[in-house]
Amino acid sequence: QILPPLIDIIPEARLNLAIYYLTTTSTGANDNVSDADAVLSDIVSPKTTQECILKAVVHAVVGQQQRRRQNAIGGGGAALIRAAQTLFRAVGSRPSECDTIPGRQCMASAFFLAKQFDDVVIYLQSVKSYMSE
């Protein structure tokens, strides 16, 4: 109720609303993911690390959902998965982010979407000691 009117006034409100939609999505509920995608649709070229990561996550989720729905047909969601990979790689390869936990998690996500699981393990092991159990 509070965030929607603020998305054109406070830039973080748009991101927070998208996060809210993603975190309140229950199994089988695509409406909130679609809402998150719609909220981020105005961000054509993400500029900040947070915008890139959030846009990549939404692309990945929507792409995976399309793949599941169109699995029999084939090819569904591939463009969105590639877009998510590109955004995750963009964050993970930035000099200011490449040696940070979010940067390494982004590279792991990009490799995961590319099904390069050996590289995923390398990146995740590099941040394992910083994560709590």
Side-chain angles (χ1 to χ4, degrees):
Q1 291 173 312
I2 296 170
L3 290 174
L6 296 176
I7 63 173
D8 293 324
I9 300 167
I10 303 170
E12 291 82 11
R14 180 179 308 280
L15 302 179
N16 287 335
L17 185 58
I19 292 168
Y20 171 77
Y21 286 141
L22 287 173
T23 58
T24 59
T25 300
S26 61
T27 305
N30 296 335
D31 292 336
N32 286 354
V33 174
S34 299
D35 290 340
D37 192 27
V39 166
L40 295 177
S41 66
D42 290 342
I43 301 174
V44 178
S45 298
K47 293 171 185 66
T48 67
T49 298
Q50 292 81 9
E51 288 175 347
C52 282
I53 292 171
L54 201 50
K55 192 112 175 146
V57 167
V58 170
H59 281 333
V61 171
V62 173
Q64 296 268 345
Q65 287 176 342
Q66 286 181 4
R67 265 193 185 161
R68 255 186 262 129
R69 279 194 302 265
Q70 299 175 357
N71 198 20
I73 300 169
L80 287 171
I81 298 294
R82 281 192 301 277
Q85 285 176 318
T86 301
L87 288 168
F88 281 132
R89 280 188 199 276
V91 172
S93 62
R94 286 181 185 163
S96 61
E97 297 292 334
C98 66
D99 289 328
T100 66
I101 292 172
R104 289 177 177 266
Q105 288 174 321
C106 283
M107 287 304 290
S109 297
F111 285 125
F112 184 85
L113 293 173
K115 298 180 180 178
Q116 297 174 341
F117 302 115
D118 291 338
D119 293 324
V120 173
V121 171
I122 291 168
Y123 274 95
L124 291 179
Q125 283 180 338
S126 73
V127 297
K128 181 180 177 181
S129 64
Y130 300 102
M131 308 308 270
S132 62
E133 290 186 34

